[in-house]
């Protein structure tokens, strides 16, 4: 089945220790998104890619970076995680023909100790 | 700016009873509207979407929603709740003429009582 895969599902890191979250997709979608979802809150868009064209949200902290080496993969790098970065991180994809229908992965829950 | 307001962060209904989750939107242009469901420790799944065609939209799992422009509402309903419907539900809005961003509401957690 075509899908969006996120690894790992659960990630524990230490305060200030860099961490990378991974997303891959078999849908061959051009657009990929990263959202941050804190407990009992709505998902908040961090950034997205149209193919290799990176689009950062104005209020996304510099601590968050992303890489998209090819169509299938996208990475979220948190350079120096703080306690406030503990959250669920959701990856989503959409096609250029229907960018408003987003397909979500299961998420990675990040814990910062 | 567009936004959605979900009334009630928690809603409890008995199994077999009507489910009604309320969503009101704010948009200066005809919006696209969505309902997503999120099960514990899972990603979001699209239930249904309104894209300016029929005002009554049918989705998966027996859910439907009606777009009412006069009330700026897009409430989600299901005639008979099932235990498996227990989840978090997010209403969302997008302006298809401006950008492709989806703005989510804060969510409503649906509890099903046996």
């Amino acid at each position: 089945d075509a899908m969006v895969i996120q690894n790992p599902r659960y990630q524990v890191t230490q305060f200030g220790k860099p961490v990378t979250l991974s997303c891959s997709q078999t849908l061959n979608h051009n657009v990929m998104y990263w959202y941050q979802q804190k407990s009992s809150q709505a998902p908040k868009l961090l950034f997205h890619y149209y193919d290799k064209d990176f689009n950062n949200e104005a209020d996304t902290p510099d601590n968050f970076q992303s890489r998209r080496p090819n169509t299938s993969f996208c990475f979220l790098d948190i350079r120096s995680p703080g306690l406030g970065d503990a959250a669920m991180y959701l990856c989503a994809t959409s096609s250029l023909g229907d960018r408003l229908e987003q397909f979500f992965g299961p998420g990675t829950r990040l814990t910062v100790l | 700016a567009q936004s959605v307001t979900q009334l009630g962060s928690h809603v409890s209904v008995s199994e077999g009873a009507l489910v009604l989750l309320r969503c009101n939107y704010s948009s200066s242009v005809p919006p696209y509207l969505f309902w997503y469901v999120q099960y514990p420790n899972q990603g979001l799944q699209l239930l249904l979407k309104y894209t300016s065609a029929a005002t009554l939209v049918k989705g998966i799992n027996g859910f439907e929603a009606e777009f009412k422009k006069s009330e700026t509402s897009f409430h989600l309903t299901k005639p008979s709740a099932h235990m498996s419907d227990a989840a978090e539900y997010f209403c969302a809005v997008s302006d298809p003429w401006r950008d492709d961003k989806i703005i989510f509401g804060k969510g409503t957690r649906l509890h099903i009582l046996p």
Side-chain angles (χ1 to χ4, degrees), chain B residues 80-105:
Chain B
S80 178
H82 192 272
M83 295 299 290
S84 62
D85 295 327
E88 187 94 21
Y89 291 80
F90 291 93
C91 182
V93 64
S94 180
D95 175 358
W97 312 112
R98 183 176 177 181
D99 57 35
D100 303 321
K101 296 175 188 174
I102 294 178
I103 309 299
F104 289 91

PDB file of all heavy atoms in Angstrom, chain B residues 80-105:
ATOM      1  N   SER B  80     -25.152   7.257  14.402  1.00  0.00           N
ATOM      2  CA  SER B  80     -25.064   6.278  15.477  1.00  0.00           C
ATOM      3  C   SER B  80     -23.602   6.045  15.848  1.00  0.00           C
ATOM      4  O   SER B  80     -22.838   5.487  15.062  1.00  0.00           O
ATOM      5  CB  SER B  80     -25.725   4.964  15.044  1.00  0.00           C
ATOM      6  OG  SER B  80     -25.610   3.988  16.045  1.00  0.00           O
ATOM      7  N   ALA B  81     -23.237   6.450  17.050  1.00  0.00           N
ATOM      8  CA  ALA B  81     -21.847   6.341  17.481  1.00  0.00           C
ATOM      9  C   ALA B  81     -21.454   4.888  17.752  1.00  0.00           C
ATOM     10  O   ALA B  81     -22.238   4.091  18.279  1.00  0.00           O
ATOM     11  CB  ALA B  81     -21.631   7.170  18.738  1.00  0.00           C
ATOM     12  N   HIS B  82     -20.208   4.622  17.427  1.00  0.00           N
ATOM     13  CA  HIS B  82     -19.625   3.309  17.694  1.00  0.00           C
ATOM     14  C   HIS B  82     -18.408   3.501  18.576  1.00  0.00           C
ATOM     15  O   HIS B  82     -17.754   4.542  18.526  1.00  0.00           O
ATOM     16  CB  HIS B  82     -19.230   2.649  16.361  1.00  0.00           C
ATOM     17  CG  HIS B  82     -18.887   1.202  16.493  1.00  0.00           C
ATOM     18  ND1 HIS B  82     -17.614   0.762  16.790  1.00  0.00           N
ATOM     19  CD2 HIS B  82     -19.653   0.096  16.379  1.00  0.00           C
ATOM     20  CE1 HIS B  82     -17.612  -0.552  16.850  1.00  0.00           C
ATOM     21  NE2 HIS B  82     -18.833  -0.985  16.605  1.00  0.00           N
ATOM     22  N   MET B  83     -18.102   2.483  19.368  1.00  0.00           N
ATOM     23  CA  MET B  83     -16.959   2.604  20.281  1.00  0.00           C
ATOM     24  C   MET B  83     -15.679   2.972  19.536  1.00  0.00           C
ATOM     25  O   MET B  83     -14.835   3.706  20.054  1.00  0.00           O
ATOM     26  CB  MET B  83     -16.746   1.305  21.058  1.00  0.00           C
ATOM     27  CG  MET B  83     -17.882   0.933  22.005  1.00  0.00           C
ATOM     28  SD  MET B  83     -18.170   2.169  23.285  1.00  0.00           S
ATOM     29  CE  MET B  83     -16.710   1.975  24.292  1.00  0.00           C
ATOM     30  N   SER B  84     -15.559   2.483  18.326  1.00  0.00           N
ATOM     31  CA  SER B  84     -14.348   2.745  17.541  1.00  0.00           C
ATOM     32  C   SER B  84     -14.236   4.189  17.066  1.00  0.00           C
ATOM     33  O   SER B  84     -13.205   4.582  16.502  1.00  0.00           O
ATOM     34  CB  SER B  84     -14.286   1.814  16.335  1.00  0.00           C
ATOM     35  OG  SER B  84     -15.399   2.049  15.495  1.00  0.00           O
ATOM     36  N   ASP B  85     -15.288   4.991  17.284  1.00  0.00           N
ATOM     37  CA  ASP B  85     -15.240   6.402  16.885  1.00  0.00           C
ATOM     38  C   ASP B  85     -14.496   7.268  17.906  1.00  0.00           C
ATOM     39  O   ASP B  85     -14.248   8.450  17.650  1.00  0.00           O
ATOM     40  CB  ASP B  85     -16.656   6.950  16.697  1.00  0.00           C
ATOM     41  CG  ASP B  85     -17.395   6.298  15.543  1.00  0.00           C
ATOM     42  OD1 ASP B  85     -16.738   5.931  14.553  1.00  0.00           O
ATOM     43  OD2 ASP B  85     -18.631   6.138  15.650  1.00  0.00           O
ATOM     44  N   ALA B  86     -14.173   6.703  19.053  1.00  0.00           N
ATOM     45  CA  ALA B  86     -13.460   7.464  20.075  1.00  0.00           C
ATOM     46  C   ALA B  86     -12.096   7.888  19.540  1.00  0.00           C
ATOM     47  O   ALA B  86     -11.262   7.051  19.185  1.00  0.00           O
ATOM     48  CB  ALA B  86     -13.292   6.629  21.333  1.00  0.00           C
ATOM     49  N   ALA B  87     -11.893   9.204  19.455  1.00  0.00           N
ATOM     50  CA  ALA B  87     -10.670   9.743  18.849  1.00  0.00           C
ATOM     51  C   ALA B  87     -10.695  11.264  18.996  1.00  0.00           C
ATOM     52  O   ALA B  87     -11.651  11.830  19.540  1.00  0.00           O
ATOM     53  CB  ALA B  87     -10.585   9.371  17.367  1.00  0.00           C
ATOM     54  N   GLU B  88      -9.656  11.905  18.454  1.00  0.00           N
ATOM     55  CA  GLU B  88      -9.614  13.371  18.384  1.00  0.00           C
ATOM     56  C   GLU B  88     -10.017  13.770  16.976  1.00  0.00           C
ATOM     57  O   GLU B  88      -9.558  13.179  15.995  1.00  0.00           O
ATOM     58  CB  GLU B  88      -8.188  13.868  18.675  1.00  0.00           C
ATOM     59  CG  GLU B  88      -8.057  15.379  18.795  1.00  0.00           C
ATOM     60  CD  GLU B  88      -8.156  15.861  20.227  1.00  0.00           C
ATOM     61  OE1 GLU B  88      -7.940  15.062  21.135  1.00  0.00           O
ATOM     62  OE2 GLU B  88      -8.423  17.064  20.414  1.00  0.00           O
ATOM     63  N   TYR B  89     -10.871  14.786  16.877  1.00  0.00           N
ATOM     64  CA  TYR B  89     -11.352  15.236  15.575  1.00  0.00           C
ATOM     65  C   TYR B  89     -10.947  16.693  15.372  1.00  0.00           C
ATOM     66  O   TYR B  89     -11.156  17.541  16.248  1.00  0.00           O
ATOM     67  CB  TYR B  89     -12.872  15.091  15.484  1.00  0.00           C
ATOM     68  CG  TYR B  89     -13.302  13.639  15.441  1.00  0.00           C
ATOM     69  CD1 TYR B  89     -13.368  12.877  16.616  1.00  0.00           C
ATOM     70  CD2 TYR B  89     -13.600  13.023  14.236  1.00  0.00           C
ATOM     71  CE1 TYR B  89     -13.732  11.534  16.577  1.00  0.00           C
ATOM     72  CE2 TYR B  89     -13.972  11.685  14.192  1.00  0.00           C
ATOM     73  CZ  TYR B  89     -14.035  10.954  15.361  1.00  0.00           C
ATOM     74  OH  TYR B  89     -14.381   9.626  15.313  1.00  0.00           O
ATOM     75  N   PHE B  90     -10.367  16.957  14.210  1.00  0.00           N
ATOM     76  CA  PHE B  90      -9.910  18.304  13.889  1.00  0.00           C
ATOM     77  C   PHE B  90     -10.666  18.840  12.673  1.00  0.00           C
ATOM     78  O   PHE B  90     -10.709  18.198  11.630  1.00  0.00           O
ATOM     79  CB  PHE B  90      -8.407  18.312  13.567  1.00  0.00           C
ATOM     80  CG  PHE B  90      -7.530  18.028  14.748  1.00  0.00           C
ATOM     81  CD1 PHE B  90      -7.104  16.741  15.019  1.00  0.00           C
ATOM     82  CD2 PHE B  90      -7.128  19.048  15.586  1.00  0.00           C
ATOM     83  CE1 PHE B  90      -6.286  16.475  16.112  1.00  0.00           C
ATOM     84  CE2 PHE B  90      -6.305  18.796  16.680  1.00  0.00           C
ATOM     85  CZ  PHE B  90      -5.901  17.503  16.946  1.00  0.00           C
ATOM     86  N   CYS B  91     -11.209  20.011  12.843  1.00  0.00           N
ATOM     87  CA  CYS B  91     -11.774  20.758  11.723  1.00  0.00           C
ATOM     88  C   CYS B  91     -10.659  21.633  11.160  1.00  0.00           C
ATOM     89  O   CYS B  91      -9.792  22.113  11.902  1.00  0.00           O
ATOM     90  CB  CYS B  91     -12.934  21.615  12.219  1.00  0.00           C
ATOM     91  SG  CYS B  91     -13.771  22.565  10.948  1.00  0.00           S
ATOM     92  N   ALA B  92     -10.662  21.840   9.854  1.00  0.00           N
ATOM     93  CA  ALA B  92      -9.582  22.625   9.250  1.00  0.00           C
ATOM     94  C   ALA B  92     -10.120  23.419   8.070  1.00  0.00           C
ATOM     95  O   ALA B  92     -11.112  23.045   7.439  1.00  0.00           O
ATOM     96  CB  ALA B  92      -8.441  21.710   8.806  1.00  0.00           C
ATOM     97  N   VAL B  93      -9.438  24.510   7.754  1.00  0.00           N
ATOM     98  CA  VAL B  93      -9.859  25.397   6.673  1.00  0.00           C
ATOM     99  C   VAL B  93      -8.661  25.742   5.809  1.00  0.00           C
ATOM    100  O   VAL B  93      -7.519  25.766   6.278  1.00  0.00           O
ATOM    101  CB  VAL B  93     -10.486  26.689   7.247  1.00  0.00           C
ATOM    102  CG1 VAL B  93      -9.467  27.495   8.036  1.00  0.00           C
ATOM    103  CG2 VAL B  93     -11.119  27.550   6.163  1.00  0.00           C
ATOM    104  N   SER B  94      -8.943  26.001   4.553  1.00  0.00           N
ATOM    105  CA  SER B  94      -7.886  26.431   3.649  1.00  0.00           C
ATOM    106  C   SER B  94      -8.466  27.392   2.630  1.00  0.00           C
ATOM    107  O   SER B  94      -9.636  27.293   2.268  1.00  0.00           O
ATOM    108  CB  SER B  94      -7.266  25.222   2.942  1.00  0.00           C
ATOM    109  OG  SER B  94      -6.246  25.626   2.068  1.00  0.00           O
ATOM    110  N   ASP B  95      -7.647  28.325   2.196  1.00  0.00           N
ATOM    111  CA  ASP B  95      -8.030  29.243   1.131  1.00  0.00           C
ATOM    112  C   ASP B  95      -7.356  28.743  -0.149  1.00  0.00           C
ATOM    113  O   ASP B  95      -6.152  28.939  -0.323  1.00  0.00           O
ATOM    114  CB  ASP B  95      -7.554  30.650   1.472  1.00  0.00           C
ATOM    115  CG  ASP B  95      -7.835  31.634   0.332  1.00  0.00           C
ATOM    116  OD1 ASP B  95      -8.372  31.204  -0.729  1.00  0.00           O
ATOM    117  OD2 ASP B  95      -7.497  32.809   0.484  1.00  0.00           O
ATOM    118  N   PRO B  96      -8.123  28.107  -1.033  1.00  0.00           N
ATOM    119  CA  PRO B  96      -7.488  27.505  -2.210  1.00  0.00           C
ATOM    120  C   PRO B  96      -6.934  28.522  -3.194  1.00  0.00           C
ATOM    121  O   PRO B  96      -6.151  28.176  -4.070  1.00  0.00           O
ATOM    122  CB  PRO B  96      -8.627  26.695  -2.838  1.00  0.00           C
ATOM    123  CG  PRO B  96      -9.861  27.387  -2.390  1.00  0.00           C
ATOM    124  CD  PRO B  96      -9.569  27.908  -1.013  1.00  0.00           C
ATOM    125  N   TRP B  97      -7.319  29.783  -3.062  1.00  0.00           N
ATOM    126  CA  TRP B  97      -6.852  30.795  -4.007  1.00  0.00           C
ATOM    127  C   TRP B  97      -5.615  31.517  -3.524  1.00  0.00           C
ATOM    128  O   TRP B  97      -5.026  32.317  -4.244  1.00  0.00           O
ATOM    129  CB  TRP B  97      -7.974  31.823  -4.255  1.00  0.00           C
ATOM    130  CG  TRP B  97      -9.268  31.155  -4.541  1.00  0.00           C
ATOM    131  CD1 TRP B  97     -10.369  31.160  -3.752  1.00  0.00           C
ATOM    132  CD2 TRP B  97      -9.589  30.326  -5.672  1.00  0.00           C
ATOM    133  NE1 TRP B  97     -11.369  30.401  -4.325  1.00  0.00           N
ATOM    134  CE2 TRP B  97     -10.923  29.880  -5.495  1.00  0.00           C
ATOM    135  CE3 TRP B  97      -8.889  29.931  -6.805  1.00  0.00           C
ATOM    136  CZ2 TRP B  97     -11.546  29.063  -6.412  1.00  0.00           C
ATOM    137  CZ3 TRP B  97      -9.512  29.121  -7.724  1.00  0.00           C
ATOM    138  CH2 TRP B  97     -10.829  28.690  -7.525  1.00  0.00           C
ATOM    139  N   ARG B  98      -5.237  31.217  -2.292  1.00  0.00           N
ATOM    140  CA  ARG B  98      -4.114  31.969  -1.730  1.00  0.00           C
ATOM    141  C   ARG B  98      -2.885  31.087  -1.580  1.00  0.00           C
ATOM    142  O   ARG B  98      -1.837  31.360  -2.111  1.00  0.00           O
ATOM    143  CB  ARG B  98      -4.526  32.553  -0.388  1.00  0.00           C
ATOM    144  CG  ARG B  98      -3.467  33.416   0.247  1.00  0.00           C
ATOM    145  CD  ARG B  98      -3.979  34.034   1.526  1.00  0.00           C
ATOM    146  NE  ARG B  98      -2.941  34.810   2.195  1.00  0.00           N
ATOM    147  CZ  ARG B  98      -3.118  35.438   3.325  1.00  0.00           C
ATOM    148  NH1 ARG B  98      -4.271  35.407   3.921  1.00  0.00           N
ATOM    149  NH2 ARG B  98      -2.138  36.114   3.859  1.00  0.00           N
ATOM    150  N   ASP B  99      -3.002  30.067  -0.803  1.00  0.00           N
ATOM    151  CA  ASP B  99      -1.894  29.134  -0.644  1.00  0.00           C
ATOM    152  C   ASP B  99      -2.472  27.775  -0.275  1.00  0.00           C
ATOM    153  O   ASP B  99      -3.678  27.609  -0.256  1.00  0.00           O
ATOM    154  CB  ASP B  99      -0.893  29.616   0.413  1.00  0.00           C
ATOM    155  CG  ASP B  99      -1.553  29.854   1.770  1.00  0.00           C
ATOM    156  OD1 ASP B  99      -2.484  29.102   2.134  1.00  0.00           O
ATOM    157  OD2 ASP B  99      -1.145  30.795   2.459  1.00  0.00           O
ATOM    158  N   ASP B 100      -1.582  26.862  -0.047  1.00  0.00           N
ATOM    159  CA  ASP B 100      -2.041  25.493   0.159  1.00  0.00           C
ATOM    160  C   ASP B 100      -1.995  25.090   1.624  1.00  0.00           C
ATOM    161  O   ASP B 100      -2.019  23.927   1.935  1.00  0.00           O
ATOM    162  CB  ASP B 100      -1.153  24.547  -0.650  1.00  0.00           C
ATOM    163  CG  ASP B 100      -1.159  24.929  -2.107  1.00  0.00           C
ATOM    164  OD1 ASP B 100      -2.221  25.310  -2.609  1.00  0.00           O
ATOM    165  OD2 ASP B 100      -0.084  24.882  -2.729  1.00  0.00           O
ATOM    166  N   LYS B 101      -1.930  26.075   2.486  1.00  0.00           N
ATOM    167  CA  LYS B 101      -1.805  25.729   3.901  1.00  0.00           C
ATOM    168  C   LYS B 101      -3.170  25.395   4.474  1.00  0.00           C
ATOM    169  O   LYS B 101      -4.180  26.012   4.140  1.00  0.00           O
ATOM    170  CB  LYS B 101      -1.175  26.884   4.665  1.00  0.00           C
ATOM    171  CG  LYS B 101       0.238  27.187   4.224  1.00  0.00           C
ATOM    172  CD  LYS B 101       0.767  28.404   4.915  1.00  0.00           C
ATOM    173  CE  LYS B 101       2.106  28.799   4.307  1.00  0.00           C
ATOM    174  NZ  LYS B 101       2.601  30.065   4.855  1.00  0.00           N
ATOM    175  N   ILE B 102      -3.168  24.430   5.339  1.00  0.00           N
ATOM    176  CA  ILE B 102      -4.375  24.031   6.050  1.00  0.00           C
ATOM    177  C   ILE B 102      -4.251  24.526   7.485  1.00  0.00           C
ATOM    178  O   ILE B 102      -3.253  24.253   8.146  1.00  0.00           O
ATOM    179  CB  ILE B 102      -4.557  22.518   6.006  1.00  0.00           C
ATOM    180  CG1 ILE B 102      -4.812  22.066   4.557  1.00  0.00           C
ATOM    181  CG2 ILE B 102      -5.701  22.082   6.910  1.00  0.00           C
ATOM    182  CD1 ILE B 102      -4.950  20.569   4.406  1.00  0.00           C
ATOM    183  N   ILE B 103      -5.254  25.253   7.936  1.00  0.00           N
ATOM    184  CA  ILE B 103      -5.272  25.763   9.308  1.00  0.00           C
ATOM    185  C   ILE B 103      -6.208  24.878  10.122  1.00  0.00           C
ATOM    186  O   ILE B 103      -7.389  24.762   9.816  1.00  0.00           O
ATOM    187  CB  ILE B 103      -5.771  27.225   9.358  1.00  0.00           C
ATOM    188  CG1 ILE B 103      -4.996  28.094   8.361  1.00  0.00           C
ATOM    189  CG2 ILE B 103      -5.672  27.757  10.786  1.00  0.00           C
ATOM    190  CD1 ILE B 103      -3.516  28.155   8.620  1.00  0.00           C
ATOM    191  N   PHE B 104      -5.655  24.274  11.154  1.00  0.00           N
ATOM    192  CA  PHE B 104      -6.420  23.343  11.973  1.00  0.00           C
ATOM    193  C   PHE B 104      -7.044  24.041  13.170  1.00  0.00           C
ATOM    194  O   PHE B 104      -6.470  24.980  13.735  1.00  0.00           O
ATOM    195  CB  PHE B 104      -5.506  22.230  12.493  1.00  0.00           C
ATOM    196  CG  PHE B 104      -5.052  21.262  11.427  1.00  0.00           C
ATOM    197  CD1 PHE B 104      -3.872  21.476  10.732  1.00  0.00           C
ATOM    198  CD2 PHE B 104      -5.809  20.138  11.126  1.00  0.00           C
ATOM    199  CE1 PHE B 104      -3.443  20.597   9.756  1.00  0.00           C
ATOM    200  CE2 PHE B 104      -5.389  19.249  10.155  1.00  0.00           C
ATOM    201  CZ  PHE B 104      -4.208  19.476   9.465  1.00  0.00           C
ATOM    202  N   GLY B 105      -8.215  23.549  13.569  1.00  0.00           N
ATOM    203  CA  GLY B 105      -8.782  23.935  14.841  1.00  0.00           C
ATOM    204  C   GLY B 105      -8.070  23.209  15.968  1.00  0.00           C
ATOM    205  O   GLY B 105      -7.183  22.377  15.731  1.00  0.00           O
TER     206      GLY B 105
END
